[in-house]
Amino acid sequence: VERVYYRDVVGIRSVDPSAKKIVIRLPKIDSLTWAAGVQPLYGSAIKLRWEKKDGKLLYSLETPDGYDVEFSNESGLEAKRV
């Protein structure tokens, strides 16, 4: 259940520690107005929060140093990092 929440609701799709790659896909979920999660990662963490506001999807993302992030927005709303 926890994996489904991080992947399908929060948007932390996958993490590959050996390749130092994180895939983020902001989801299209009409029934929620926000979601947040902190996924531990070897002494650090990935922190992602999104919120629908004024027709936009506002999000904040913190990742460990040295990781590449592949980002996509499937919400149907304009995404803006805050």
Side-chain angles (χ1 to χ4, degrees):
V1 172
E2 180 180 324
R3 175 70 189 125
V4 171
Y5 174 75
Y6 282 109
R7 183 188 66 210
D8 298 338
V9 177
V10 177
I12 302 171
R13 186 62 88 180
S14 66
V15 180
D16 184 344
S18 61
K20 292 199 168 215
K21 184 174 181 180
I22 300 167
V23 177
I24 302 293
R25 289 204 172 91
L26 298 180
K28 178 174 177 43
I29 301 177
D30 294 330
S31 59
L32 295 177
T33 57
W34 70 276
V38 177
Q39 184 171 337
L41 183 62
Y42 300 108
S44 190
I46 302 165
K47 299 176 184 178
L48 178 58
R49 182 184 196 291
W50 58 260
E51 172 185 15
K52 294 176 188 176
K53 189 171 185 180
D54 299 327
K56 294 182 181 167
L57 191 72
L58 307 177
Y59 72 96
S60 63
L61 173 64
E62 294 179 35
T63 60
D65 290 337
Y67 276 75
D68 290 324
V69 177
E70 178 185 312
F71 177 88
S72 65
N73 174 18
E74 298 176 354
S75 72
L77 301 172
E78 177 187 346
K80 182 176 179 181
R81 192 168 186 169
V82 292

